[in-house]
Amino acid sequence: MSTVTAGPGGLDAAAPPARPSAVTPKDLARSTAARRRRSAKLRIWVGSICVALVVLPVTLASVLPIPGPDEQSLSLRRLPPLTGGHLFGTDQLGRDLLSRILHGGQVSLTVGVLAIVVSGVIGLAAGATAGFFGGWVDNMVSRLLEAQLSLPLLLMLLLVVALFGPSIPVITFVIAIAQWPEVARLTRSLVLVEREKPYVAAARVLGLHRVTILVRHVLPNVVKQATLVILLLLAQAVLLESALSYLGAGPQRPFATWGRIISDGQDYITTSWWLVTLPGLVIVLLVVGVNLLGDGLRDRVRRRKAR
């Protein structure tokens, strides 16, 4: 609605119309913010598809019309992919490679998911406590983080597995202990920022206990960003479990894991390439998908928080 003003001679005149903006929708679409938004959306979609291509078949492995992972037929040894009704071919004992990859993925993903849950809980608790209370608590947690980060990761895992045995609970706990420092460091830095904000000071003035402030007010504001880091640790957990299985320190038989499948097929890599290549591609697809999904979600959360 135009504004009426008094012009010269007492006459009322309408105000001049506003000038149109020089920034067009095409310019907005080419802006850096728009490109980042499209890039984050693309990474989320591509990452979700890659993860779904691995996780869904692994989850449904028991109901899919495929042979059992341990069914042997020596007359069908090392069949190439798409031969004799075997989509991924067979291994050196005539076992269906696709079935072994899918059932092995159940073990690898179970270990990975349990490991990041345990490491996430430990890291969130330790990092939040150190960042909020400070003092000797912060010093103790920080020194413990520095001590663990200074140790060779894989050698430490192999040592613990050698001492306590290569069972699934031991390997899960070992990987969780190896990963909690990353969650704790991020949570500590986030809590250090949150504890200086006005709402924390207001809660202290109202007489709330420090533990109540931390649990009910500070943690809900940092848990979303920490969860994204925990999601990214899933790829690392799967790689660590595969590395341990490849070295013979993973879950023992009859469990078929991705690392052991690659280890069993490495002697035939020059004549039966699919025994190593196809399990490796499945691992790569999952790791790339998790990383893309986590990066896209992290950029989206940062952009929303910046608003």
Side-chain angles (χ1 to χ4, degrees), residues 107 110-111 114 165-174 250-252 255 257:
V107 179
T110 299
V111 172
L114 291 177
S167 63
I168 291 181
V170 170
I171 293 174
T172 301
F173 184 74
V174 165
Q252 299 301 301
F255 298 111
T257 61

Side-chain angles (χ1 to χ4, degrees), residues 21-225:
S21 175
V23 180
T24 64
K26 185 179 293 185
D27 294 330
L28 292 176
R30 295 174 179 174
S31 64
T32 302
R35 289 199 302 268
R36 290 178 178 175
R37 183 169 58 252
R38 290 193 298 268
S39 175
K41 185 179 296 185
L42 178 62
R43 279 179 287 172
I44 291 174
W45 275 103
V46 175
S48 300
I49 292 173
C50 292
V51 172
L53 288 175
V54 176
V55 173
L56 289 180
V58 167
T59 305
L60 301 174
S62 301
V63 298
L64 292 177
I66 55 178
D70 299 320
E71 294 182 10
Q72 302 181 13
S73 179
L74 297 180
S75 61
L76 302 176
R77 291 180 297 174
R78 292 190 288 162
L79 289 179
L82 304 177
T83 303
H86 300 281
L87 185 61
F88 280 12
T90 58
D91 63 3
Q92 64 275 14
L93 297 178
R95 296 171 294 190
D96 185 76
L97 185 59
L98 176 61
S99 178
R100 289 185 61 77
I101 291 175
L102 295 183
H103 284 85
Q106 292 180 344
V107 179
S108 298
L109 288 178
T110 299
V111 172
V113 171
L114 291 177
I116 64 172
V117 170
V118 176
S119 63
V121 172
I122 297 175
L124 280 172
T129 303
F132 190 78
F133 293 102
W136 65 270
V137 178
D138 189 15
N139 290 330
M140 183 178 65
V141 174
S142 299
R143 299 296 83 77
L144 186 60
L145 289 173
E146 294 172 358
Q148 181 166 339
L149 291 173
S150 65
L151 297 174
L153 178 58
L154 191 56
L155 291 179
M156 181 184 69
L157 297 180
L158 290 173
L159 176 62
V160 175
V161 171
L163 291 175
F164 298 98
S167 63
I168 291 181
V170 170
I171 293 174
T172 301
F173 184 74
V174 165
I175 295 176
I177 293 300
Q179 291 184 322
W180 77 272
E182 299 185 34
V183 183
R185 291 172 63 187
L186 174 67
T187 306
R188 176 182 176 275
S189 63
L190 294 174
V191 171
L192 283 174
V193 175
E194 290 293 324
R195 76 175 186 180
E196 302 300 330
K197 292 186 176 180
Y199 74 88
V200 175
R204 288 173 176 170
V205 171
L206 292 175
L208 295 181
H209 195 273
R210 290 195 297 173
V211 176
T212 304
I213 298 174
L214 174 62
V215 174
R216 296 184 58 183
H217 300 284
V218 176
L219 273 181
N221 290 324
V222 304
V223 70
K224 183 178 293 185
Q225 299 181 62

Side-chain angles (χ1 to χ4, degrees), residues 47 50-51 54-55 108-117 119 153 157 175 179 182 227-244 258 280 282-295:
C50 292
V51 172
V54 176
V55 173
S108 298
L109 288 178
T110 299
V111 172
V113 171
L114 291 177
I116 64 172
V117 170
S119 63
L153 178 58
L157 297 180
I175 295 176
Q179 291 184 322
E182 299 185 34
T227 303
L228 294 179
V229 175
I230 296 173
L231 173 62
L232 290 173
L233 290 179
L234 176 61
Q236 182 183 3
V238 171
L239 288 176
L240 287 175
E241 190 280 329
S242 299
L244 290 175
W258 287 336
V282 172
I283 297 175
V284 170
L285 188 62
L286 177 65
V287 172
V288 171
V290 170
N291 287 331
L292 288 176
L293 180 60
D295 288 341

